[in-house]
Amino acid sequence: MTAVDTVRHVIDKHGKLKADVANLAEDADLYAAGMTSNASVNVMLAVEDAFDIEFPDELLSKCTFTSIGSICSAVKGLLEAAA
Amino acid sequence: MMLDTWFGDPESPNLGFLHLPDDREVVGGVVICPPLGYDQVLGYRALRFVGQELAAQGIAALRFDYVGEGDSAGQSGTAQAPELWMSSVARAAAYLRDSGIDNVALLSLGAGALIANEAALTVDATALVHWDPELSGRRFLRRQRALFELTVGHDGPTDPSALLSLTLHPDAAAWLRTREITAATLPVGMDALIVGRRAYDENPATLRLTSNLPPRAEYRSVVGQEELLDVPGTLAVLPEETIAGMSEWLLERFPRASVPARPLVNGRAVVGHTSDGTPIVEKLLRIGPDRLFVITTSREDDNESGVVVQQPGAAEHRVGPGRFQVLAARELAERGYRAVRFDRRVTGDTTEVRPGEPNFIFANEWVDDTDRLIAELGIGEDVAHAGLCAGGWVAARMAERRPARLTVMFSPNYFKTAPLRAGEYSVLTQSSREGTRKFIGLKRRIRGILPGWAWPILGRLQLFHDPAILLGASTRDRNSTVAVLLTPEDEENFRAHRGPDAVARLINRGADIRVTSYAYGDHSLFGAEVRTTMLTDLLSLVDEKLTRSVTPTRSRL
């Protein structure tokens, strides 16, 4: 499973979106698709579990969790920093 | 039936609500351990429903606020908080046993599980239920921190590690960070039921627990928790099936023979002392046909001073960020005033919980409740009404009905005098979330281009939120002052609805309106710093307008 697939799986499970996550564009606005702040925190925690990472405070913003692409980008940065 | 009572240590009493069957014959008792933070707000009525359901099964259920939380005595955010959480559970269990109920189980929600799990052996619990538990204290703190950043973002200059709705001393945070519910930490020799979210089935913490459950522990995976705890309170749905399942499981843990419950009910408590040593007394009352739950706070020797009637925001109670209302009441008493806080219908501990019940946000029912409160308590003109958001709207509407020296509106955003119907606010919230609310885009476009002469006309027709309508109605009495306290998002809304023009017009006509804008803070006052700032401003306004029984020598703020 690629990182994008993993993030999609997590959003599907915890994002509580009305839209079909499988068909959502990588740059689609998750908040506009119905994700609440609570759901985005559930997504954040599940992404941390899936990749064994921890989002630092400076990444705890709506921008980080606004799309599949932005989450993947943040994950990539954290994984590279840890390598 | 439900009995309101203070219990525990008279030096720092807990407030509790005891649910009993009408004949008071019970097979056992359950101490309901509340969650921490905003889950307290969202779960409050749900836990009351649990209490009702247990009582219907012949089980006594005691809900309570931890010392330092909600309406109980004590300061929030102390290093001793974990000890106080634990001792509060022990006191609740002791209260049930002193009432003649020997078999006592614990039921927790959210982060309350981290406390109940530690306390279960200490209180010799018969059984333990963790409902939607926070399995890791570290994860709980991460969640609260992330929620704060995603919903508030910035709360003043001095709090870089704020949590949502929770003030924690570093020592208390360190205690929580090391707490976990695993197969190894579940109390030994005790039946335990863990009711977790289906969406968390594959979480590492859940798998660590479920892969190695002790023999007397059971794990149930349920749906519906998100609809209770991850949505605005006005949209919450009670998971009735889950609650019935926990209630039945608990019933099986108690002996079949019942015993009579003989609780000691105490409606008066000393919750602190003024700097000159005078006790600050709180009394529990029930008022009117709806039996509104009321707490009065005053110096022991005070019957004459001005009264501040406090109104929480939305359909909320005084837990989580709402606790600032409790601190305000006690600070007002310290300064020589009387304070009244109460639960309006379908909030907190007023009116029995019914699944699907509509709230009365921005509806006349809550204005009627306040009117009845004022009448029944015999409160005269030396009164201030202070409320957050929907509570501020009720406060302003009260100034239309009865004389008031002061009206304080924290974070107002609804300026029509035309009320909503029962439950209508929830419908509007839902349609806003789904992007299906009618005319919103059109109204925003019109709002920006309407000529000045047309705005008051459309405001009077209640087609737009013209602040002149609500503020004008509440300042007809020329002896009355109205204070409008705005966080940045509320100020933006106030300006968008031409609030400054409205205030200027009303002041020209002789009204006393004070508008204060803050550089930081969030509408719901989740941030601790903005709460403290607004409380300080409330006290200054009250000092200016109301009569007090004494001159204080110091302030706790």
Side-chain angles (χ1 to χ4, degrees), chain A residues 31 55 58-67 69-72 74:
Chain A
Y31 292 104
F55 290 98
E58 57 268 26
L59 287 181
L60 296 181
S61 71
K62 284 203 168 183
C63 295
T64 305
F65 302 98
T66 200
S67 68
S70 64
I71 297 171
C72 288

Side-chain angles (χ1 to χ4, degrees), chain A residues 9 13-14 16 18 31-32 34 36-42 44-46 48-49 53-57 60-63 65, chain B residues 42 138-139 142-147 149-151 160-161 197-204 226-227 229-231 430 433-434:
Chain A
H9 176 69
K13 201 159 182 185
H14 298 280
K16 290 277 172 186
K18 295 211 167 10
Y31 292 104
T36 62
S37 296
N38 266 297
S40 66
V41 172
N42 289 337
M44 178 202 93
L45 292 168
E48 287 187 343
D49 285 341
I53 55 173
E54 187 167 294
F55 290 98
D57 270 9
L60 296 181
S61 71
K62 284 203 168 183
C63 295
F65 302 98
Chain B
L42 294 168
R138 183 180 167 280
R139 196 180 178 88
R142 290 276 301 147
R143 184 188 300 279
Q144 299 302 312
R145 178 83 191 109
L147 273 171
E149 286 295 331
L150 290 170
T151 56
S161 57
R197 294 186 186 200
R198 186 148 302 161
Y200 293 171
D201 280 355
E202 294 167 29
N203 280 10
E226 291 86 348
E227 286 71 21
L229 295 177
D230 287 356
V231 295
Q430 184 66 28
R433 281 162 61 96
E434 291 172 351

Side-chain angles (χ1 to χ4, degrees), chain B residues 67-196:
Chain B
V67 167
E69 299 287 335
D71 287 306
S72 287
Q75 294 292 314
S76 312
T78 66
Q80 293 75 36
E83 291 163 40
L84 297 172
W85 300 331
M86 300 282 286
S87 63
S88 293
V89 178
R91 293 171 183 185
Y95 179 81
L96 287 175
R97 292 198 169 108
D98 290 345
S99 303
I101 305 160
D102 289 335
N103 293 301
V104 174
L106 304 185
L107 183 150
S108 67
L109 176 64
L114 299 165
I115 300 163
N117 206 59
E118 294 271 322
L121 282 178
T122 315
V123 303
D124 191 22
T126 299
L128 177 65
V129 176
H130 291 321
W131 180 22
D132 197 2
E134 200 64 71
L135 295 178
S136 153
R138 183 180 167 280
R139 196 180 178 88
F140 169 71
L141 294 171
R142 290 276 301 147
R143 184 188 300 279
Q144 299 302 312
R145 178 83 191 109
L147 273 171
F148 186 88
E149 286 295 331
L150 290 170
T151 56
V152 179
H154 178 61
D155 177 41
T158 63
D159 201 354
S161 57
L163 304 172
L164 190 78
S165 310
L166 190 60
T167 307
L168 275 184
H169 188 279
D171 291 356
W175 184 91
L176 273 173
R177 198 170 288 117
T178 55
R179 269 22 198 205
E180 273 194 313
I181 296 175
T182 65
T185 62
L186 278 174
V188 178
M190 186 181 299
D191 287 349
L193 172 66
I194 302 99
V195 181

Side-chain angles (χ1 to χ4, degrees), chain B residues 309-327:
Chain B
V309 178
Q310 301 173 275
Q311 304 269 358
E316 294 180 356
H317 185 68
R318 294 166 299 278
V319 290
R323 194 174 201 249
F324 95 100
Q325 309 253 358
V326 179
L327 300 178

Side-chain angles (χ1 to χ4, degrees), chain B residues 371-417:
Chain B
D371 199 38
R372 181 171 288 279
L373 176 90
I374 298 294
E376 300 250 349
L377 291 180
I379 295 171
E381 295 185 18
D382 195 6
V383 63
H385 294 277
L388 168 64
C389 186
W393 182 81
V394 174
R397 296 295 313 283
M398 273 309 298
E400 290 176 47
R401 293 198 186 187
R402 291 171 182 270
R405 297 221 175 127
L406 174 66
T407 302
V408 182
M409 303 169 73
F410 304 106
S411 308
N413 62 6
Y414 187 94
F415 297 102
K416 295 178 183 177
T417 51

